[in-house]
Amino acid sequence: MGMTMTQKILAAHAGLKEVCAGQLIEADLDLVLGNDITSPVAIKEMEKMNLNSVFDKDKIALVPDHFAPNKDIKSAQHCKCVREFALKNEITNYFEVGQMGIEHALLPEQGLTVAGDVIIGADSHTCTYGALGAFSTGVGSTDMAAGMATGKAWFKVPGAIKFNITGKPNKWISGKDVILHIIGEIGVDGALYESMEFTGDGIKYLSMDDRFTIANMAIEAGAKNGIFPVDDKALDYIKEHSKRTPKIYEADADAVYDKEITVDLSTLRPTIAFPHLPENTKTIDEIKEKISIDQVVIGSCTNGRIEDLRTAAEILKGQKVSKGMRLIVLPATQKIYLQAMEEGLIRTFIEAGGVVSTPTCGPCLGGYMGVLAENERCVSTTNRNFVGRMGHITSEIYLASPAVAAMSAIKGYIAAPEV
Amino acid sequence: MNAKGKVFKYGDNVDTDVIIPARYLNSSDSNELATHCMEDIDKSFVSKVNKGDIIVATKNFGCGSSREHAPIAIKASGVSCVIAETFARIFYRNAINIGLPIMECKEASIAIEAGDEVSVDFDTGIIKDITKGLEFKGQPFPEFMQKIIKAEGLLNYIQSR
């Protein structure tokens, strides 16, 4: 029986010729990732069990990014715990404030993730690296601890849904609209326990930043991973960023899929997820009333990359945010920050009346740098609009693309640029 | 292994942000986390929960963030089992890895109501709603996962091998 792309990667890492959906396997890991929230729990577990060493100091990445730069004393203790562990174990890929960025933008940029890898990360958005043709998935702290100690993880081999991507998207339609559209169609548990395998002619129109956004939010459909075929764009990206050799896996022609869904990019419209689930989507045309907004956040592991900032700046250039609007822009890594500075994007944001923050996950999970008050509304390029996610439990989050976010900041209500 | 207790009932898509809001993730202490368990979906949970109580929810319990703090908070609050129609996959892994008993059973997740007295037999997968006099058969774990649960967590299991 044919295997999906994901199944082939897992089989190779489990030393098996063939695997099938539902099979329990143990796979070798190419990278184990943790952040300042999840790593301390893993480190404590390792200490409790007297697991005093790591399997490979080059195959662990520790990125304090959630509440870093330290937001309060308790967070500072967590970051200190991660720092001390990294030093003690001589972890090669520990990223201190100043080098760090939001983990899922940082790791591909640093060349730590390439096609064919098996990666686990104690962060649900670890599925982002599927954009490069890797199998990567989010786990908890205990799995991270076990991964750091042994270099292995257990997996139930997932089945897959095949997404046949066709057509060419219109201007202002980005990866965010694609994935919000898909989640709106299949629901937040529409791909539960499964792989989302993207394929088809339309993929050539999706930039790498679009693909990172799409793979990033596979978890928001309940998926184990999202994965793209490795084309020239992906190989060019890997070549530019990594010294490692990618390994290309392709799904077998007779691979079995639980479902096949076609997404015609040419028909997509700016798509917004209403509170309090990413599946509550509406296109801009379906929003008849003016929904007033207090804050706009542009950033995160979903949409804090250079293309996202360029899109937002293109719309904000020479404009002002509406009266009373708080626009917060967070470039996802130091490299992106510098690039945005050199391209004049930071100037554009500041002149428009926004603030630009150092890289951090902060506001996305209601940590800091933009927490919402009672009944406030935010258009955010982040990934979750759950109750209380960004602050007060009565606050509302509308998930959208950088283009919709920027336009909404100018108008003061949810709006999209005209095509 | 058995569980018995009073039921707290929730609906679809209970996410880990409402189980333990991120504003409390600057702590990793299980007892401290437990004092905020379910805070953003059920403010009275912490004051009402008793040791042994059971959470029953419908689809996709534990979706969203991978924070292991969510099952840790539930376990530390005294809950003896979570029953749901389905669990989000990272929560499912985390629960097994830290030894929080969970059970998938669609019929039970729909029929059981808040306040019911429920018992769960993990060896047979039998769920009994004592209040309503109903009985359900839950999905037993594959053998591999049972070994992890028996060892009281993944790291114990790894060390015992």
Side-chain angles (χ1 to χ4, degrees), chain A residues 357-397:
Chain A
S357 159
T358 193
T360 177
C361 309
C364 171
L365 72 166
Y368 68 143
M369 285 303 301
V371 175
L372 298 173
E374 209 173 345
N375 297 320
E376 284 189 334
R377 291 202 193 104
C378 178
V379 168
S380 184
T381 68
T382 56
N383 40 57
R384 293 193 173 123
N385 54 355
F386 300 149
V387 170
R389 170 81 179 176
M390 290 179 77
H392 197 278
I393 57 167
T394 61
S395 61
E396 295 183 350
I397 305 159

Side-chain angles (χ1 to χ4, degrees), chain A residues 188-210:
Chain A
V188 290
D189 62 350
L192 195 60
Y193 306 130
E194 301 208 72
S195 300
M196 295 170 80
E197 296 209 356
F198 301 98
T199 177
D201 281 352
I203 288 178
K204 63 174 178 283
Y205 299 114
L206 298 171
S207 69
M208 286 316 294
D209 283 2
D210 284 328

Side-chain angles (χ1 to χ4, degrees), chain A residues 49 74 141-143 154 193, chain B residues 17 32 68 87 93 159:
Chain A
M49 301 299 297
K74 282 180 167 179
S141 298
T142 300
D143 275 315
W154 65 269
Y193 306 130
Chain B
D17 274 273
E32 195 178 333
E68 206 160 288
F87 290 90
R93 278 186 89 97
Q159 278 214 327

Side-chain angles (χ1 to χ4, degrees), chain B:
Chain B
M1 210 165 73
N2 293 302
K4 190 177 173 188
K6 186 171 81 299
V7 165
F8 288 83
K9 180 80 190 268
Y10 304 103
D12 288 348
N13 307 314
V14 174
D15 61 77
T16 53
D17 274 273
V18 295
I19 296 172
I20 183 74
R23 58 185 177 274
Y24 303 120
L25 295 187
N26 55 10
S27 170
S28 48
D29 177 77
S30 57
N31 292 323
E32 195 178 333
L33 293 169
T35 63
H36 301 292
C37 188
M38 311 304 280
E39 189 170 297
D40 282 0
I41 189 172
D42 181 358
K43 266 213 154 25
S44 66
F45 175 84
V46 169
S47 60
K48 287 185 181 159
V49 69
N50 289 307
K51 195 167 167 45
D53 283 351
I54 291 170
I55 289 177
V56 180
T58 45
K59 280 184 201 164
N60 203 25
F61 186 86
C63 63
S65 158
S66 67
R67 60 190 72 161
E68 206 160 288
H69 312 65
I72 288 172
I74 291 174
K75 195 181 173 192
S77 72
V79 166
S80 62
C81 181
V82 183
I83 300 167
E85 180 178 339
T86 52
F87 290 90
R89 56 160 290 276
I90 303 178
F91 185 92
Y92 185 92
R93 278 186 89 97
N94 288 346
I96 290 167
N97 286 343
I98 67 155
L100 168 70
I102 56 172
M103 186 78 77
E104 285 190 333
C105 180
K106 183 178 177 179
E107 293 72 24
S109 79
I110 293 166
I112 296 171
E113 290 179 298
D116 287 2
E117 188 79 9
V118 164
S119 72
V120 184
D121 184 324
F122 295 107
D123 296 325
T124 60
I126 299 288
I127 301 165
K128 282 185 185 163
D129 186 328
I130 299 158
T131 310
K132 290 193 166 60
L134 297 170
E135 194 173 300
F136 312 93
K137 181 89 173 74
Q139 190 71 251
F141 287 117
E143 198 192 333
F144 168 71
M145 291 180 201
Q146 279 186 26
K147 280 186 196 162
I148 296 177
I149 293 165
K150 237 182 198 155
E152 291 182 9
L154 179 66
L155 294 183
N156 284 317
Y157 171 70
I158 287 170
Q159 278 214 327
S160 71
R161 279 197 302 178

